[in-house]
Amino acid sequence: MIISARESLKSWVKARAWAKPVLREINHSRCEAWDLIHGVDTCGKIPLSGLDFDSKNKTAGLEYQSHHPALTRSALMELPVQYDDYSFIDIGCGKGRVLLIASEFPFRRIIGVEFAPTLAEIARNNLQSYRRAHTVCTEIEVVTGDALEYNLAPEAQVLYFFSPFSPSVLDQIVQRIEDSFQRSPRDLLVMFSGVIPMRERAFGWRPQYERLSRKPHMDVYRHR
Ligand SMILES: C[S@@+](CC[C@H](N)C(=O)[O-])C[C@H]1O[C@@H](n2cnc3c(N)ncnc32)[C@H](O)[C@@H]1O
């Protein structure tokens, strides 16, 4: 049996209690370095309870956090799409790190939806200051609002989710996507990141979605 490097690292860390906080610290430093180099603020884990805003879906929302840019970039590179035919939408975009990485690809347009106004504002500032030379999509917008009230445009889309909310809200979002698809059938891809049971609970079990790939951090689905 071939054991992947990732699995070996996992069991190595599991056997050494001291290694977990050290690795967390290393990851955090890498993240801060990336922010510093690019003149942005995307790091950290922020529980929504610590943010000053009201929403009936606040308690169902999961804390802000983001993947390392390299993970997002490689997932985007492998998408089986002609980028300029698709819009990219990050549902629950937080500080917008995924929007920054997506802007390196020639999507038709990029939209982030975020209900915490403080995070949405940080995402807008990040877009202003992102200095990466490879930014190719410039039509980018951050919408402050609840994902449950956001109306999808009738166009080919890549929808991105990174563990944004609990199943009660997720089911309603999926129903809204379904309603939109039934009104305007089109190519619709979903990138869903989170633990595997969450991915299965969100899209994996639904017969109308075909799973195109599964990676340690991400599933990609296409609406049939
Ligand atoms: C785990 S973070 C992911 C952030 C971003 N997608 C990324 O990968 O960098 C989840 C985000 O979803 C947002 N969120 C949770 N529930 C939401 C809702 N109902 N409407 C809009 N945003 C929501 C949270 O505020 C948080 O910023």
Side-chain angles (χ1 to χ4, degrees), residues 42 46-48 51 53 55-67 72 88-99 112-117 119-120 143-150 160-166 169-170 173 193:
T42 66
I46 305 178
L48 299 187
L51 296 174
F53 73 104
S55 160
K56 64 179 186 332
N57 295 317
K58 187 171 180 178
T59 49
L62 304 181
E63 68 177 6
Y64 169 76
Q65 57 175 315
S66 192
H67 281 310
T72 310
F88 177 89
I89 306 177
D90 184 0
I91 313 276
C93 71
K95 295 183 179 185
R97 187 191 285 173
V98 170
L99 307 179
V113 183
E114 172 57 54
F115 72 167
L119 298 180
V143 175
T144 306
D146 197 304
L148 271 177
E149 283 158 21
Y150 182 73
Y160 183 95
F161 297 82
F162 174 22
S163 305
F165 19 65
S166 58
V169 170
L170 195 69
I173 295 278
S193 184

Side-chain angles (χ1 to χ4, degrees), residues 20-219:
K20 222 173 175 176
V22 172
L23 275 185
R24 203 177 298 129
E25 209 39 56
I26 292 173
N27 276 337
H28 188 66
S29 304
R30 282 176 72 207
C31 176
E32 291 205 315
W34 190 86
D35 273 7
L36 202 63
I37 290 166
H38 296 91
V40 295
D41 160 20
T42 66
C43 281
K45 289 190 175 192
I46 305 178
L48 299 187
S49 57
L51 296 174
D52 184 20
F53 73 104
D54 289 326
S55 160
K56 64 179 186 332
N57 295 317
K58 187 171 180 178
T59 49
L62 304 181
E63 68 177 6
Y64 169 76
Q65 57 175 315
S66 192
H67 281 310
H68 191 273
L71 288 173
T72 310
R73 190 177 292 115
S74 69
L76 287 168
M77 278 169 82
E78 288 175 22
L79 280 180
V81 299
Q82 176 86 29
Y83 300 101
D84 51 7
D85 287 339
Y86 290 76
S87 299
F88 177 89
I89 306 177
D90 184 0
I91 313 276
C93 71
K95 295 183 179 185
R97 187 191 285 173
V98 170
L99 307 179
L100 304 179
I101 306 303
S103 75
E104 297 168 13
F105 296 78
F107 284 108
R108 186 199 289 180
R109 60 186 182 131
I110 295 174
I111 298 157
V113 183
E114 172 57 54
F115 72 167
T118 319
L119 298 180
E121 198 49 38
I122 294 173
R124 282 188 202 99
N125 290 338
N126 284 336
L127 287 167
Q128 292 286 335
S129 45
Y130 192 55
R131 291 194 284 258
R132 198 179 159 87
H134 300 301
T135 296
V136 288
C137 175
T138 48
E139 200 181 325
I140 313 178
E141 182 192 3
V142 176
V143 175
T144 306
D146 197 304
L148 271 177
E149 283 158 21
Y150 182 73
N151 292 320
L152 292 172
E155 58 195 18
Q157 281 149 341
V158 176
L159 306 177
Y160 183 95
F161 297 82
F162 174 22
S163 305
F165 19 65
S166 58
S168 59
V169 170
L170 195 69
D171 285 344
Q172 295 176 67
I173 295 278
V174 176
Q175 187 55 53
R176 285 177 69 87
I177 297 171
E178 194 55 34
D179 293 346
S180 167
F181 181 83
Q182 294 308 330
R183 277 193 305 274
S184 318
R186 59 200 189 267
D187 199 23
L188 213 52
L189 270 78
V190 172
M191 303 173 77
F192 197 99
S193 184
V195 291
I196 288 181
M198 192 188 258
R199 299 182 217 169
E200 280 297 327
R201 173 67 183 76
F203 288 94
W205 70 275
R206 297 179 199 269
Q208 67 272 43
Y209 286 89
E210 178 195 3
R211 196 175 81 213
L212 302 182
S213 65
R214 168 159 288 172
K215 292 278 165 56
H217 291 280
M218 175 110 49
D219 283 355

